[in-house]
Amino acid sequence: MPKSATAKPADRHRTPATPRHYAVIGAGIAGVACARTLRQAGHKVTLFERNEVPGGRMASADTAFGRFDSGAQYFTVRDPRFALALEATPGLCKRWSANLVRVLDAHGRVAEAALPSLEAHWVAQPGMDALVAHWAAPLGDSLITGTQVTQIEPDALDPQRWQLRTAGADDSQHVYSGFDAVLLAVPPSRTRALLGDGKLSATLSRKIEPVRIAPCWTLMIAFPQANQPTMSHLGPQWNAARSTHHRVAWLARESSKPGRDPIERWTLQASAAWSQEHLRDTPSRVEAKLLRAFAEITGIHATPAHAQALCWSEAQTQVPLGQTHLWDAKARIGVAGDWCTGHRVEDAFLSGLSLALAVI
Ligand SMILES: Cc1cc2nc3c(=O)[nH]c(=O)nc-3n(C[C@H](O)[C@H](O)[C@H](O)COP(=O)(O)OP(=O)(O)OC[C@H]3O[C@@H](n4cnc5c(N)ncnc54)[C@H](O)[C@@H]3O)c2cc1C
């Protein structure tokens, strides 16, 4: 992990002159970075997450054959502020010697062995979700999971503040009130919807309008038969590849990542164009098509013991916002997420951090 020059304790709390109560929506890495920073500055924070666990697109799927990183595969560290935050989690993230190549065509022809990369690839252990879970832990009861925010509206008792309407997994409805500001750290389509198409902040809605983010079909497959003593290694010698196959953009051997189960497991990510074209396909049709592509690229024709296809409707930014965050001080609404500047884990972290610092 790159060392930063000025390491300080990560969870030092201060007492602000005017403590405020912030609602943060979305417990991906952007929302958690934002909420933690506000907490460390001494403010009260309530973080709402639709899923049962934090992590967002840094997700892991548990199966009988081991874990898969179903979203982000690894992260890179370019900014000293991200490096500093990671220094406070010793042992949680490990360098992945990915043995990365570029595969050129549908016959698995390798264009470049060992893709030149000056950057280290890092993964959290035992799965990518562990990093966000670790950073969210100090928030305790301030993190409310399984709760989707459906509407932001003026507080019924104090119009200078905001209240949030929420829906639980069991369709239970609640209203949380008394927020001095609301900070959204959710993908663009949800941001647009929660901003009520300009009703809450016309400025924010107008700025977000051009942002575009592509979907991604992901396939996770396991071959426990490859680990039998009579068989040595299944498929290619490389562990990860960027691919120009028309269906597949990325594939990686999950079992090659540090701290993972040794059972042979692969994760494939379809290209943005193919994912968009096949957005309405069923998971079983997508599974069959991606399995064929996998066999063409890797030469592995065995039937996997486990296969699961899932679609991320908003995965990778195509047109970013072009600035780290948005903060409408008059409306007291802010916006963060990877899509503000890019499509990487680090972009999301820095966006959440910069929004919190702007608000403070
Ligand atoms: C398939 C795939 C592969 C990727 N590979 C890489 C990679 O290898 N390296 C890399 O650096 N990046 C990768 N990324 C991108 C990386 O995952 C993202 O940049 C980062 O995780 C985004 O974080 P975020 O906090 O901005 O958003 P998210 O992680 O999307 O977090 C948003 C959160 O908001 C929650 N939410 C949404 N609406 C509501 C609501 N109304 N109420 C409450 N909660 C809500 C969601 O459930 C989610 O938890 C990949 C992404 C995908 C999908």
Side-chain angles (χ1 to χ4, degrees):
M1 194 82 41
K3 289 272 178 211
S4 64
T6 52
K8 291 192 190 113
D11 270 303
R12 197 167 59 177
H13 289 223
R14 296 180 202 99
T15 308
T18 319
R20 300 191 186 282
H21 189 184
Y22 293 101
V24 180
I25 308 175
I29 191 165
V32 168
C34 183
R36 269 173 48 112
T37 308
L38 292 168
R39 258 289 275 271
Q40 285 162 8
H43 295 286
K44 187 174 174 191
V45 179
T46 305
L47 173 58
F48 295 89
E49 170 53 49
R50 187 185 51 170
N51 292 334
E52 293 303 328
V53 290
R57 280 172 280 157
M58 289 181 79
S60 302
D62 255 330
T63 74
F65 302 100
R67 263 177 183 225
F68 290 85
D69 292 326
S70 53
Q73 291 286 298
Y74 64 87
F75 60 86
T76 46
V77 186
R78 297 174 190 168
D79 190 288
R81 290 166 294 173
F82 191 36
L84 179 63
L86 290 164
E87 276 172 30
T89 63
L92 186 66
C93 298
K94 282 264 167 10
R95 197 174 169 157
W96 176 33
S97 303
N99 182 17
L100 180 66
V101 301
R102 187 182 300 282
V103 289
L104 191 61
D105 60 15
H107 305 292
R109 200 150 55 89
V110 172
E112 290 168 67
L115 260 187
S117 172
L118 299 174
E119 284 183 300
H121 296 69
W122 295 93
V123 295
Q125 304 179 104
M128 286 293 276
D129 58 343
L131 180 60
V132 183
H134 181 84
W135 277 341
L139 294 170
D141 292 345
S142 306
L143 167 62
I144 303 178
T145 57
T147 301
Q148 177 171 0
V149 176
T150 53
Q151 205 166 329
I152 305 167
E153 55 192 25
D155 191 314
L157 298 177
D158 179 355
Q160 295 308 307
R161 293 200 161 90
W162 293 109
Q163 67 181 31
L164 304 184
R165 288 188 184 275
T166 66
D170 55 357
D171 268 350
S172 58
Q173 314 231 329
H174 289 283
V175 178
Y176 294 85
S177 55
F179 298 110
D180 294 296
V182 180
L183 309 174
L184 292 86
V186 299
S189 75
R190 292 180 196 282
T191 304
R192 289 186 187 105
L194 284 170
L195 290 177
D197 295 322
K199 282 211 283 289
L200 300 189
S201 166
T203 315
L204 296 189
S205 292
R206 182 170 36 77
K207 288 191 172 164
I208 290 164
E209 207 289 315
V211 173
R212 293 290 173 267
I213 180 162
C216 178
W217 271 107
T218 299
L219 179 68
M220 296 166 278
I221 45 183
F223 299 93
Q225 62 270 38
N227 296 77
Q228 315 254 315
T230 48
M231 292 180 75
S232 55
H233 203 56
L234 192 69
Q237 292 308 306
W238 41 263
N239 290 324
R242 298 195 189 288
S243 152
T244 51
H245 188 286
H246 71 286
R247 286 181 187 165
V248 177
W250 165 265
L251 57 167
R253 185 180 260 132
E254 289 286 347
S255 34
S256 72
K257 293 178 182 173
R260 269 43 175 196
D261 200 289
I263 290 177
E264 180 93 2
R265 303 184 308 290
W266 288 81
T267 298
L268 278 76
Q269 289 164 3
S271 66
W274 193 88
S275 297
Q276 182 66 51
E277 210 178 301
H278 294 265
L279 206 52
R280 304 274 163 249
D281 267 9
T282 60
S284 58
R285 276 173 63 86
V286 167
E287 180 184 314
K289 286 173 183 164
L290 291 184
L291 265 180
R292 266 204 301 281
F294 176 71
E296 286 167 5
I297 295 170
T298 61
I300 301 175
H301 291 269
T303 305
H306 168 89
Q308 184 191 354
L310 72 85
C311 185
W312 294 96
S313 58
E314 292 179 284
Q316 196 180 55
T317 311
Q318 308 287 294
V319 181
L321 176 69
Q323 58 191 95
T324 54
H325 64 275
L326 293 174
W327 168 237
D328 182 336
K330 191 153 170 263
R332 291 161 288 111
I333 297 180
V335 166
D338 62 338
W339 50 271
C340 289
T341 55
H343 54 82
R344 300 179 310 119
V345 165
E346 186 174 20
D347 296 321
F349 173 86
L350 293 173
S351 177
L353 176 69
S354 60
L355 175 59
L357 294 176
V359 166
I360 293 166

